[in-house]
Amino acid sequence: MPSRHTARSAGLLAALAATLFTAACGSGGGGGDAADVQPRNGGSITYASQKEPDCWDPHASAQDVTAFTQRPIFDSLVYQKPDGSLEPWLASSWKISEDGLTYTLELRRDVTFHDGAKFDAAAVKANFDHIVAKDTESQFAAGLLGPYTGAKVTGPYEIQVSFSRPYSPFLQVASTTFLGIASPASLRVGEDKLCSGTASVGSGPFRNGRYTRGQQRVYTRNADYDWAPKGAAQSGPARLDSVTVRFITEDATRVGALNSGQIDGAAALPPNAIAGVRANPRLTAISKQTPGAVYAYYLNTTGGVFTDIRVRRAFQRGLDIGTIVKSVYQGTTDRAWSVLSPTTPYSYDASLENSWPYDPALAAKLLDEAGWTGRDAAGYRTRDGRRLSIVSPVYGRPTLFSQAAQAELKKIGFYLDLHASTDATEVSGLLDDGKYDVVETSWARPDGDILSSFFLSTETSKGGGHNFAHVADPQVDTWLKAAQAAQSPQERAKQYAQVQKWVIDNAAVVPTFVSTATVGVNRKVHGLRLSIATWPEFYGAWVQAG
């Protein structure tokens, strides 16, 4: 397995191939029609994921699949409801200092970890210390803490979390699995064991069960569980005795197992399988648009041909995004106009819709003005005998969308070099050293502060961030830090809107489509719903007898 650092950068690109594309309509919850049946305890379900974590420690890993597969085990301090609002979970209440620098959290007193240890303020501090520890090599969680300066135990069940400047995203990031609370004893076993998936100990509704690398993981019911947030599907212990997550990477195999009844649910239905699943009377589909950063091209504004804004704008306006999305995804997802998904709470700027349509004539004019007036034998534009070539590092295989974009871009004279490699170190090196022209990625997060990860000048790839466009504009930094300081959702939305407009106006990013998560589910399974981050939640699920 590659080092955790190299897996972070390359794993981000690998996630592109597993982006969840499905119908843009549908429900956030489902299973069978439960109107005529009553919930029951007992039984088990088997669910197929299209990915397996490289590292199972959510404090270290940046992978969405780690957050999903570890949510049954780890509770969080805060709960983010499907509508985006926040409510207490392991933290029973909180206060924010007048200067916005300190959060004082009162904690529940009735929580017990799976190993029998009591949950308290010391346990919370141990988790924050682990997240920021050098040995953890945190790829995402430490970055989520932003300007964090430390946590201080101020009572057995009270803790203060401090920041160097006001940081309003804290409560939302505290709701994620990446900041999930583990038993302090488990954190001391060493990062290798935590990453291996054999040492996960939390306080969640399910306990860590048998794990067979490359095949499956089992979760067993925590009979003592009695501290779910109010917004959860139920209270008390989970109804299911166990959940098994199988790792089936091939789409056809995963869908076939669902249709044949070998499994009860399947992630990431490909567009060409959705209609068949919905036509199967034993199955249903649950769909939800994914919040956060949409699938987009981030253009390297400080190196290569994209230092010229005319060339960036030519790429932006010369790519027929709408046609590609319809062709590749068969009407199962929407074309994107902003870098943010419309479902990102209190953040999306709808005024960008239809504001930068496909315009190949404008693209051609811009390339002429930039001096790319020649054509080589293959039809690509040239300047001073050099082809207009742009390099896009790809970890694994290029996506269908990228291959279609490659063909479309050739029409206006760009050669999109899809530099595919299964060497994580090689791909990470290209990203960290800025040896690329474009990076294609998406990132699920139900908060507009995801913009900070991609556009704050300090968030470089080498430093653990995702500023692949190399944006380093003082005004953008000011807007993002103002959003982080604001407690009002309306004020944060105002600042985020300015950032969204700026990155489009400056062609630093070219949004393409809005990812939509859809899972197929057997109708005998009830109560399975998608979280706000569009991951299945097993806590409220139950299986119909017979």
Side-chain angles (χ1 to χ4, degrees):
M1 186 175 74
S3 73
R4 291 191 293 279
H5 175 70
T6 58
R8 181 202 62 77
S9 296
L12 177 62
L13 296 182
L16 305 180
T19 302
L20 304 177
F21 327 120
T22 48
C25 59
S27 168
D33 181 1
D36 56 348
V37 291
Q38 294 299 313
R40 76 178 188 101
N41 294 330
S44 63
I45 62 174
T46 298
Y47 181 86
S49 170
Q50 83 281 22
K51 293 175 64 182
E52 179 178 12
D54 291 331
C55 170
W56 287 84
D57 181 6
H59 294 172
S61 175
Q63 292 182 295
D64 280 355
V65 68
T66 302
F68 154 57
T69 52
Q70 293 290 55
R71 175 48 87 198
I73 292 174
F74 294 117
D75 293 328
S76 294
L77 294 169
V78 180
Y79 182 72
Q80 188 172 21
K81 297 191 291 186
D83 65 1
S85 61
L86 301 169
E87 68 178 21
W89 194 350
L90 295 184
S92 57
S93 65
W94 50 78
K95 294 179 181 178
I96 306 172
S97 62
E98 289 188 9
D99 60 10
L101 299 179
T102 303
Y103 289 74
T104 301
L105 288 76
E106 296 292 334
L107 307 176
R108 293 188 67 130
R109 303 180 178 215
D110 59 346
V111 177
T112 304
F113 290 108
H114 300 155
D115 59 5
K118 292 289 292 183
F119 165 80
D120 57 13
V124 175
K125 186 180 188 311
N127 277 263
F128 279 103
D129 289 349
H130 179 256
I131 289 168
V132 299
K134 183 179 179 180
D135 289 346
T136 303
E137 297 183 21
S138 178
Q139 304 159 17
F140 188 51
L144 286 178
L145 286 173
Y148 171 79
T149 58
K152 179 182 179 182
V153 174
T154 51
Y157 294 94
E158 182 181 275
I159 191 164
Q160 289 184 347
V161 183
S162 299
F163 300 90
S164 61
R165 56 182 172 81
Y167 188 60
S168 61
F170 170 64
L171 292 176
Q172 190 279 323
V173 301
S175 75
T176 68
T177 318
F178 296 108
L179 268 65
I181 304 299
S183 167
S186 71
L187 297 176
R188 295 192 290 267
V189 303
E191 201 54 41
D192 287 343
K193 286 187 178 179
L194 289 173
C195 265
S196 73
T198 60
S200 304
V201 181
S203 62
F206 292 92
R207 299 171 182 265
N208 186 18
R210 298 185 310 278
Y211 172 47
T212 305
R213 183 75 185 172
Q215 297 183 31
Q216 64 183 35
R217 182 170 190 171
V218 177
Y219 305 83
T220 60
R221 180 175 177 265
N222 176 11
D224 298 325
Y225 193 74
D226 196 26
W227 40 86
K230 290 182 179 178
Q234 64 179 62
S235 60
R239 293 191 175 97
L240 293 169
D241 289 333
S242 66
V243 174
T244 299
V245 175
R246 291 178 57 189
F247 308 112
I248 305 178
T249 58
E250 291 295 328
D251 288 345
T253 305
R254 195 169 60 255
V255 173
L258 178 67
N259 277 311
S260 66
Q262 297 176 55
I263 58 176
D264 304 302
L269 297 182
N272 60 6
I274 296 172
V277 168
R278 289 187 167 149
N280 188 328
R282 295 185 297 101
L283 304 176
T284 188
I286 310 170
S287 303
K288 197 171 187 177
Q289 281 193 338
T290 304
V294 302
Y295 191 98
Y297 289 109
Y298 292 81
L299 310 186
N300 185 348
T301 62
T302 62
V305 298
F306 284 141
T307 57
D308 189 331
I309 193 172
R310 294 170 298 185
V311 180
R312 299 201 304 270
R313 285 176 174 163
F315 180 96
Q316 178 192 63
R317 302 299 291 274
L319 185 60
D320 191 357
I321 297 170
T323 296
I324 298 174
V325 171
K326 288 179 182 178
S327 173
V328 174
Y329 301 115
Q330 305 172 26
T332 64
T333 195
D334 294 339
R335 184 220 197 273
W337 295 98
S338 166
V339 67
L340 288 183
S341 164
T343 58
T344 311
Y346 316 115
S347 305
Y348 177 68
D349 182 12
S351 71
L352 288 172
E353 294 176 4
N354 301 306
S355 66
W356 48 284
Y358 172 54
D359 191 338
L362 174 61
K365 179 174 180 292
L366 289 166
L367 289 176
D368 286 343
E369 291 176 356
W372 295 94
T373 54
R375 293 274 184 173
D376 63 15
Y380 296 106
R381 283 186 177 252
T382 61
R383 187 180 68 183
D384 300 328
R386 184 165 64 95
R387 175 181 284 186
L388 182 54
S389 178
I390 50 178
V391 175
S392 177
V394 176
Y395 181 66
R397 294 176 296 179
T399 64
L400 290 176
F401 187 93
S402 294
Q403 295 175 62
Q406 185 182 54
E408 283 292 320
L409 286 167
K410 182 177 181 179
K411 296 177 182 178
I412 59 170
F414 280 96
Y415 171 58
L416 177 60
D417 180 5
L418 297 173
H419 185 86
S421 173
T422 57
D423 185 338
T425 301
E426 177 191 2
V427 176
S428 292
L430 294 173
L431 296 178
D432 292 347
D433 295 337
K435 295 180 179 179
Y436 60 85
D437 297 294
V438 59
V439 171
E440 47 179 309
T441 187
S442 61
W443 199 277
R445 184 181 165 191
D447 192 280
D449 192 56
I450 187 65
L451 292 172
S452 298
S453 297
F454 282 101
F455 302 116
L456 263 179
S457 59
T458 54
E459 294 297 305
T460 62
S461 174
K462 186 171 289 187
H466 310 133
N467 188 353
F468 296 120
H470 292 181
V471 171
D473 187 274
Q475 182 61 75
V476 172
D477 283 353
T478 297
W479 287 328
L480 290 170
K481 290 178 180 179
Q484 291 182 343
Q487 291 296 331
S488 163
Q490 292 75 23
E491 178 60 26
R492 294 184 73 196
K494 176 183 175 182
Q495 303 298 335
Y496 292 143
Q498 295 184 93
V499 176
Q500 291 169 76
K501 288 185 173 71
W502 189 95
V503 296
I504 293 298
D505 290 345
N506 287 272
V509 61
V510 181
T512 59
F513 64 87
V514 181
S515 301
T516 304
T518 287
V519 301
V521 185
N522 193 299
R523 288 186 178 274
K524 72 178 183 180
V525 177
H526 303 268
L528 184 73
R529 71 180 188 181
L530 300 186
S531 70
I532 189 170
T534 65
W535 305 322
E537 293 182 333
F538 300 120
Y539 171 55
W542 55 280
V543 62
Q544 188 173 336

